[in-house]
Amino acid sequence: MSTPLYTIIGTPFSTFTRSITLALAHKGIPFTQVRCVPHSDKAYDNHPFGFLPTLVIHEIDGKTVNLKLRETSAIARYIDRIAPQPSLLISPGHGKAIIEEQLWEFVSLVGAHGFPAVEKGVVKPRVAAIDGGKLTDSAVREQIKPAVEHLKRLLSQVEELMADEGYVFGSQLSWADFFLFPLLADLKAVPEGELLSPRLVNWMEKMNKLEAVKATTPGTLSVGARPP
Ligand SMILES: N[C@@H](CCC(=O)N[C@@H](CS)C(=O)NCC(=O)O)C(=O)O
């Protein structure tokens, strides 16, 4: 078997990294994954600010380039261009979309507001408390109370943007699902997963049936893993 043309730099534990590996798996693009955490030497070797992920493109048109592409939304655009099918884009009429750009609006909102609210506010402190083993459940709940209140509001705003059933944009699986899923899979793995509404739980059950989701689950919080 030939060496994959793409390497993704980032631990499976990283939610932004998983958005990309979900798409690569869904589109059947072979890749190698280098498991490292943010701000590690490996991360800095590939990203000026030590963030995850970086997609290393080894060849373009048969020529070795080893180009390092950073920023998840830029990587998503590249993947769409080299492998347009199966499409992860939407058209007007998919879910609540009136124009195509509402897909990227959703993706950007999830990255800019969802990531800090879910990961920094709730999941990371909860996992640190579980691993530390010193705080009681009620002490943790007290500590993260403001973050939980913020997250509740954010989840209901996210749900507002979603179609009433199916994927984020109804019948069309899209990048919106692949950006939201890693965050909510982490949330579901901690006690604050109780914040997920029936609509979000149904959506997660639908997502869990995808082969790409199954293929990218090892190494994530949802199976009790820790980085890298
Ligand atoms: N804007 C970046 C954000 C990526 C990001 O925040 N990745 C996380 C890992 S999931 C990270 O590297 N965080 C390091 C930090 O916050 O210092 C992108 O879209 O790729």
Side-chain angles (χ1 to χ4, degrees):
M1 222 169 77
S2 57
T3 317
L5 295 180
Y6 305 101
T7 297
I8 186 89
I9 311 292
T11 166
F13 205 80
S14 148
T15 54
F16 281 99
T17 302
R18 193 176 183 196
S19 296
I20 295 303
T21 55
L22 277 164
L24 292 170
H26 184 68
K27 286 174 180 273
I29 303 171
F31 62 97
T32 307
Q33 185 159 14
V34 172
R35 300 169 72 119
C36 64
V37 294
H39 306 297
S40 57
D41 288 349
K42 202 40 117 185
Y44 277 111
D45 284 347
N46 291 283
H47 189 294
F49 309 114
F51 276 52
L52 307 176
T54 293
L55 181 75
V56 185
I57 304 165
H58 296 295
E59 269 183 32
I60 295 179
D61 296 335
K63 206 169 141 226
T64 303
V65 286
N66 293 324
L67 185 150
K68 292 170 183 163
L69 188 63
R70 296 84 173 213
E71 287 300 307
T72 314
S73 55
I75 299 170
R77 277 153 203 256
Y78 174 75
I79 292 172
D80 273 346
R81 189 158 59 73
I82 56 145
Q85 297 301 331
S87 174
L88 288 171
L89 301 176
I90 59 155
S91 301
H94 281 142
K96 292 184 180 164
I98 293 169
I99 54 174
E100 288 93 315
E101 288 75 14
Q102 284 174 284
L103 166 65
W104 297 110
E105 174 194 49
F106 188 93
V107 162
S108 188
L109 288 172
V110 164
H113 302 278
F115 179 77
V118 175
E119 298 295 334
K120 295 198 172 144
V122 173
V123 172
K124 280 199 169 71
R126 174 55 93 170
V127 171
I130 293 169
D131 291 352
K134 292 210 175 84
L135 294 176
T136 60
D137 179 61
S138 54
V140 183
R141 283 182 191 271
E142 195 50 40
Q143 194 185 73
I144 62 175
K145 207 168 169 182
V148 165
E149 285 311 312
H150 173 64
L151 179 56
K152 270 188 204 160
R153 286 192 297 275
L154 178 123
L155 290 174
S156 85
Q157 282 150 346
V158 164
E159 199 179 322
E160 226 6 62
L161 298 171
M162 292 170 70
D164 294 336
E165 55 184 26
Y167 297 114
V168 170
F169 286 97
S171 59
Q172 173 65 23
L173 176 70
S174 74
W175 283 105
D177 300 285
F178 283 171
F179 273 77
L180 183 60
F181 184 77
L183 295 178
L184 298 197
D186 277 5
L187 183 62
K188 187 133 197 327
V190 297
E192 286 66 32
E194 69 199 10
L195 298 177
L196 293 167
S197 66
R199 167 69 179 112
L200 290 173
V201 169
N202 286 345
W203 169 77
M204 292 203 66
E205 282 167 4
K206 189 171 174 66
M207 293 295 292
N208 278 327
K209 294 192 181 118
L210 296 174
E211 288 308 316
V213 165
K214 292 179 195 158
T216 57
T217 295
T220 67
L221 186 62
S222 62
V223 286
R226 294 292 183 271

